[in-house]
Amino acid sequence: LQTRMQSLQPDPKAQYRSVYEALKKIVLTEGFWRPLRGINVTMLGAGPAHAMYFACYEKMKKSLSDTIQHGGNSHLANGIAGSVATLLHDAVMNPAEVVKQRMQMFNSPYKSVLACIRTVQKTEGFGAFYRSYTTQLTMNVPFQAIHFITYEFMQEQINPHRGYNPRSHIVSGAVAGAVAAAATTPLDVCKTLLNTQENIALSSVNVSGQLSGMVNAFKTVYQLGGVSGYFRGVQARVIYQMPSTAISWSVYEFFKYFLTKHKLEKRT
């Protein structure tokens, strides 16, 4: 839904006024499973990407907090650790995101994930999978910095003892995801344009060939939609991120608690 709603010059058959209308229209005209196209490639990359992401975050958060605030909870340490963890995460997830978004566009010519990978590799080269990597990092570094700082701040407010408390992890994760998602929507719109290379939109502003680079994407989005163009799909993005970050944090905190408890039991 987010990819479709961020389309800057959509096909008349793919114009939506709200998240609900978009979902209803896609299901009725393109089938029940259409909104989930490309989800398998995302799931494939998500496992290893998130494992590296949280492992790097925990290690760096601890090391930096010890240095900056002598073992205390440093917001600066949380932000830096989240940003560095993002570099590893996005190196895995960026190609998966390109494939997923191309498959989710209206009238997508790709029949399967493999067909999409082969076609993009053949026609645009390997670089196409990383064309939006710098934009992705420029978006995700502030996103994850805001996300981790907000999560740790929320935990300080509603779970000051930092024990395992599922409700606090879900609430903190959802709030952190919503705040970070809303703040970084303009960058996400630019990333979507770089990933999908919308032909109709690009030709209407006389862009020939492939659009590359975040600065060019920013200019093109403004040409096509003005200031409001930067906030296309903000509602869908926030709705998507809230459960995503809530689930991610609650699952992570559960396994962290479970494994720590198990390790302590083995020692005693």
Side-chain angles (χ1 to χ4, degrees):
L1 289 183
Q2 186 185 325
T3 302
R4 292 284 187 94
M5 292 187 80
Q6 284 180 346
S7 179
L8 293 158
Q9 288 212 340
D11 186 288
K13 293 176 188 170
Q15 288 180 344
Y16 316 110
R17 285 190 298 270
S18 67
V19 173
Y20 173 73
E21 191 207 338
L23 186 61
K24 186 180 168 187
K25 207 168 177 181
I26 291 167
V27 169
L28 288 174
T29 59
E30 300 172 56
F32 182 77
W33 298 108
R34 190 64 176 87
L36 297 176
R37 270 201 93 191
I39 198 91
N40 50 350
V41 73
T42 307
M43 287 168 70
L44 199 67
H50 275 74
M52 290 192 294
Y53 173 68
F54 279 116
C56 177
Y57 173 69
E58 276 298 328
K59 183 70 180 165
M60 283 207 69
K61 181 179 84 165
K62 193 175 184 306
S63 304
L64 289 168
S65 288
D66 287 343
T67 308
I68 298 167
Q69 217 166 301
H70 305 294
N73 180 35
S74 163
H75 291 309
L76 179 62
N78 299 336
I80 295 169
S83 301
V84 175
T86 304
L87 296 173
L88 292 173
H89 177 271
D90 286 0
V92 176
M93 288 306 291
N94 204 82
E97 184 81 355
V98 171
V99 175
K100 184 196 80 170
Q101 288 194 320
R102 289 196 180 223
M103 291 188 73
Q104 286 178 344
M105 289 300 285
F106 183 75
N107 275 344
S108 173
Y110 312 108
K111 297 286 181 283
S112 68
V113 167
L114 276 176
C116 182
I117 293 168
R118 284 197 196 107
T119 309
V120 172
Q121 166 72 31
K122 197 192 245 180
T123 57
E124 298 174 47
F126 181 74
F129 295 108
Y130 283 94
R131 193 178 284 126
S132 66
Y133 186 55
T134 51
T135 306
Q136 181 90 329
L137 287 178
T138 310
M139 179 186 74
N140 277 357
V141 165
F143 177 92
Q144 297 302 355
I146 295 165
H147 173 206
F148 282 108
I149 289 167
T150 307
Y151 179 81
E152 298 288 357
F153 173 77
M154 287 295 295
Q155 283 291 285
E156 279 181 352
Q157 306 309 307
I158 60 177
N159 185 19
H161 301 298
R162 302 309 293 266
Y164 176 62
N165 183 331
R167 189 181 294 174
S168 83
H169 302 316
I170 289 167
V171 171
S172 299
V175 171
V179 170
T184 56
T185 298
L187 291 159
D188 195 44
V189 172
C190 294
K191 184 201 76 174
T192 298
L193 182 62
L194 287 168
N195 276 350
T196 57
Q197 297 290 320
E198 282 180 70
N199 292 327
I200 301 168
L202 296 179
S203 59
S204 72
V205 285
N206 299 319
V207 174
S208 55
Q210 304 298 324
L211 182 71
S212 63
M214 194 188 69
V215 175
N216 290 333
F218 251 95
K219 285 178 187 169
T220 308
V221 170
Y222 185 76
Q223 281 177 282
L224 289 161
V227 174
S228 63
Y230 293 118
F231 290 92
R232 286 185 74 92
V234 64
Q235 187 189 4
R237 181 165 159 75
V238 168
I239 290 168
Y240 168 76
Q241 285 294 348
M242 283 181 78
S244 171
T245 46
I247 292 165
S248 185
W249 275 110
S250 57
V251 171
Y252 169 68
E253 293 281 9
F254 168 75
F255 278 103
K256 186 176 159 186
Y257 164 75
F258 176 77
L259 292 170
T260 308
K261 190 176 172 227
H262 185 63
K263 197 185 274 185
L264 284 170
E265 282 172 356
K266 276 182 85 177
R267 277 182 191 164
T268 52

